[in-house]
């Protein structure tokens, strides 16, 4: 495991979202996982650390993770997200192909991905793991002994499956098989601060 992995965990917005910057200090580049809420803070943090944001990785396309109108939730207003990020940096947006339809208007900046795809970021490689259950295109990102799990797995809890597209059978499979096959010492980095900032897969099992 490289000790030079750049990893920033930021709790942003009123829903206790964790947004992550992951990259390689030596290469001077990073990606942001689930850019939403305080886009200026995300961009400024990377810049202050001397890193350039080259990509946005989407765990799933709920508005609190990618931005968008709150009309679906019966509330006024809009959460800033991917659109605002691309207004400030040049980056590719990586979303699972099952949820491509929910992110429109990004043209060639949008990359549809599937499970087991690898994305190099400097000297590190991020592996995409498709973990449906919370949503059809939910995915986790494995890098350097750590898994960023979005709303698939929290500390002592998992994502809800009663929203549109949720599937408890797939969630069980994602937890027990897709994530369950990873080593127990894998560090878990969840999508919300519902039970703390991190754990290990062994502890959650």
């Amino acid at each position: 495991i490289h000790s030079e992995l750049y990893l920033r965990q930021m709790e942003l917005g009123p829903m206790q979202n964790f947004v992550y910057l992951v990259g390689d200090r030596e290469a001077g580049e990073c990606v942001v996982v689930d850019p939403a809420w305080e886009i200026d803070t995300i961009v400024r943090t990377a810049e202050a650390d001397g890193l350039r944001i080259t990509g946005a990785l989407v765990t799933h396309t709920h508005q609190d993770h990618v931005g968008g109108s709150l009309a679906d939730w019966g509330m006024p207003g809009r959460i800033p997200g991917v659109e605002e990020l691309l207004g400030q940096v040049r980056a590719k947006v990586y979303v699972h192909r099952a949820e491509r339809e929910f992110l429109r208007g990004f043209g060639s900046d949008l990359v549809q991905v599937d499970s087991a795809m690898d994305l190099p970021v400097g000297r590190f490689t991020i592996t995409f793991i498709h973990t449906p259950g919370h949503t059809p295109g939910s995915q986790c990102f494995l890098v350097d002994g750590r898994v960023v799990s979005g709303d698939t797995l929290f500390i002592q809890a998992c994502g809800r499956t009663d929203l549109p597209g949720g599937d408890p059978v797939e969630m069980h499979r994602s937890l027990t098989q897709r994530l369950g096959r990873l080593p127990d010492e894998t560090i878990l980095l969840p999508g919300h601060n519902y039970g703390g900032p991190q754990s290990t897969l062994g502890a959650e099992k």
Side-chain angles (χ1 to χ4, degrees), residues 90-102:
R90 292 193 60 178
K92 296 289 187 182
V93 180
Y94 298 86
V95 63
H96 191 272
R97 59 183 176 81
E99 295 187 26
R100 160 69 184 93
E101 67 203 80
F102 299 112

Side-chain angles (χ1 to χ4, degrees), residues 129-139 152 167 169-175 178:
I129 305 171
H130 184 208
T131 53
H134 181 60
T135 66
S138 284
Q139 56 183 349
T152 297
D167 186 331
V169 174
E170 285 290 356
M171 177 63 87
H172 184 265
R173 190 174 293 129
S174 289
L175 295 173
R178 299 176 179 117

Side-chain angles (χ1 to χ4, degrees), residues 69-90:
S69 170
L70 289 171
D72 291 348
W73 296 353
M75 294 187 287
R78 187 180 188 288
I79 299 171
V82 173
E83 187 177 334
E84 285 77 9
L85 178 76
L86 294 184
Q88 297 194 37
V89 301
R90 292 193 60 178

Side-chain angles (χ1 to χ4, degrees), residues 158-170:
C158 68
R160 56 193 294 182
T161 60
D162 61 334
L163 298 170
D167 186 331
V169 174
E170 285 290 356

Side-chain angles (χ1 to χ4, degrees), residues 153 175-176 179-185 199-205:
L153 180 60
L175 295 173
T176 60
L179 291 181
R181 65 179 172 79
L182 298 175
D184 283 359
E185 62 270 19
S199 181
T200 64
L201 289 187
E204 298 312 307
K205 289 177 192 177

